Amino acid sequence: MRCRKEEELVELVRRNKNYIKDGKVADYIPALAKADPDKLAIAIYSKEEGCLSAGDVGELFTLQSISKVLTLALAIMDVGKEQVFSRVGMEPTGDPFNSIAKLETMVPSKPLNPMINAGALVVTNMIHGSSVEEKVGRILQLIHDMTNNPTIGINDEVADSEYESANLNRALSYFMKQHGIIDDDVEMLLEAYTKQCAIEVNCKDLARIGMVLANEGKDPETDRPIIPRYIARIVKTFMVTCGMYNASGEFAINVAIPAKSGVSGGILSLVPNEMGIGVYSPPLDQKGNSLAGNKLLENLSAQYELSIF
């Protein structure tokens, strides 16, 4: 591992804290608006060093769109690559993550990729489970396995707030149901989706998830397979091409490592075969990515030459 001292991470957090003031905490989901904007944290997990961290690493936050990486892996495990990508595409989009525009012009009307909201709804639709509880329970079980933390659960306040304000996702879902892309009951699908987004973690949990993906889907301590290697590679590829919403190309150039962000301010990142990284800072930039978190990763990558390219 190239970063060998927590003091180095403490200094990186200190240097990037000023960017917090330039962002804005998400408020379109009312419960997210309660986040403390002054929080900034990073954790790095590697086989050699275990977990190094700095900043407010004990702060809990919800996965939001970071969950899309995990549900994609689970859906492919459940129904296979061919079935998943018969209903959702593989291409990046320059549109916002919650846009309906491309659905109206694509034939068939399937979402461009699994990292935008429409694509993620299709993916959750394909996860096995005859009830919301069974689907979400299986997502949680995967997260428990990847983090080695069985205490991780759902923030009910955030889940309820998301469900009550999910009108755009509801519109996306009904549009896709009309065109035969999803077959679940829409309200059950939205309940499962909002609960997966409201799963609550901290930066250390994110870093360990990243390390499992970096380790080809295997537990970093025991090498026990959790996700098949080919699926880990698929989700890492989507993290590069689509993981930072419609700023993914810029992130790939400036930071140059796989990453997936969420509007709670979390970012899951990794360096293949080397480390998993979890970052948290709630104020977002205009694209919906953590502003200080993004800058922190950019500085980290430059300082330790982490680029995968």
Side-chain angles (χ1 to χ4, degrees):
M1 184 176 175
R2 285 171 265 200
C3 176
R4 298 191 177 275
K5 296 180 180 179
E6 285 194 336
E7 290 83 357
E8 297 171 18
L9 291 184
V10 170
E11 175 59 19
L12 277 168
V13 168
R14 187 195 66 77
R15 277 168 39 201
N16 287 278
K17 194 120 185 179
N18 283 339
Y19 290 108
I20 285 173
K21 68 181 185 305
D22 299 323
K24 183 176 184 295
V25 175
D27 57 8
Y28 70 95
I29 299 168
L32 293 185
K34 299 179 181 179
D36 184 344
D38 291 328
K39 301 296 183 184
L40 177 60
I42 184 171
I44 298 178
Y45 193 105
S46 72
K47 282 186 173 183
E48 296 79 13
E49 302 286 334
C51 192
L52 302 178
S53 61
D56 305 291
V57 289
E59 192 75 9
L60 293 173
F61 54 92
T62 52
L63 285 174
Q64 299 303 322
S65 285
I66 296 170
S67 67
K68 296 170 182 175
V69 171
L70 308 173
T71 53
L72 176 60
L74 186 55
I76 298 174
M77 290 163 70
D78 279 354
V79 303
K81 175 184 172 185
E82 291 74 19
Q83 175 68 9
V84 168
F85 293 112
S86 71
R87 297 196 182 194
V88 62
M90 301 181 181
E91 301 304 323
T93 173
D95 295 329
F97 63 90
N98 55 2
S99 174
I100 198 171
K102 288 288 196 299
L103 281 179
E104 295 182 296
T105 57
M106 296 288 291
V107 179
S109 293
K110 71 178 188 180
L112 276 175
N113 68 69
M115 299 294 114
I116 56 176
N117 285 12
L121 287 159
V122 173
V123 166
T124 299
N125 169 78
M126 287 186 275
I127 291 172
H128 287 167
S130 58
S131 66
V132 170
E133 291 73 24
E134 187 177 357
K135 277 192 190 235
V136 176
R138 296 186 64 247
I139 297 167
L140 274 171
Q141 185 56 59
L142 176 62
I143 292 170
H144 293 164
D145 283 350
M146 295 180 79
T147 59
N148 195 30
N149 181 1
T151 68
I152 289 173
I154 295 166
N155 183 315
D156 291 327
E157 180 188 3
V158 173
D160 291 344
S161 183
E162 291 202 47
Y163 183 79
E164 290 166 6
S165 58
N167 290 327
L168 186 49
N169 284 337
R170 191 170 277 109
L172 291 168
S173 298
Y174 276 111
F175 185 91
M176 291 188 290
K177 189 174 179 69
Q178 175 67 26
H179 289 271
I181 304 298
I182 65 172
D183 42 37
D184 273 359
D185 174 84
V186 167
E187 295 307 317
M188 286 181 63
L189 173 59
L190 285 170
E191 186 179 351
Y193 181 73
T194 52
K195 285 185 174 179
Q196 86 182 39
C197 290
I199 292 171
E200 201 167 46
V201 297
N202 61 35
C203 279
K204 292 183 177 181
D205 297 321
L206 272 194
R208 201 176 194 282
I209 289 171
M211 187 61 226
V212 171
L213 294 173
N215 196 38
E216 304 284 16
K218 296 178 291 185
D219 185 283
E221 295 173 32
T222 66
D223 270 345
R224 174 178 64 89
I226 298 174
I227 295 171
R229 182 183 184 189
Y230 84 96
I231 296 178
R233 290 185 170 185
I234 288 171
V235 301
K236 283 182 284 190
T237 303
F238 276 115
M239 289 170 73
V240 172
T241 60
C242 312
M244 301 297 283
Y245 304 129
N246 49 326
S248 297
E250 181 181 355
F251 188 90
I253 290 170
N254 292 337
V255 188
I257 55 178
K260 182 70 196 86
S261 63
V263 294
S264 61
I267 304 176
L268 164 67
S269 191
L270 61 95
V271 180
N273 303 307
E274 191 167 344
M275 67 178 78
I277 307 167
V279 171
Y280 174 63
S281 176
L284 309 178
D285 62 20
Q286 292 184 341
K287 301 290 179 67
N289 298 312
S290 171
L291 201 157
N294 198 328
K295 291 294 186 181
L296 180 53
L297 284 171
E298 184 176 339
N299 279 253
L300 180 78
S301 181
Q303 185 166 327
Y304 298 106
E305 299 181 343
L306 301 183
S307 173
I308 66 170
F309 300 111

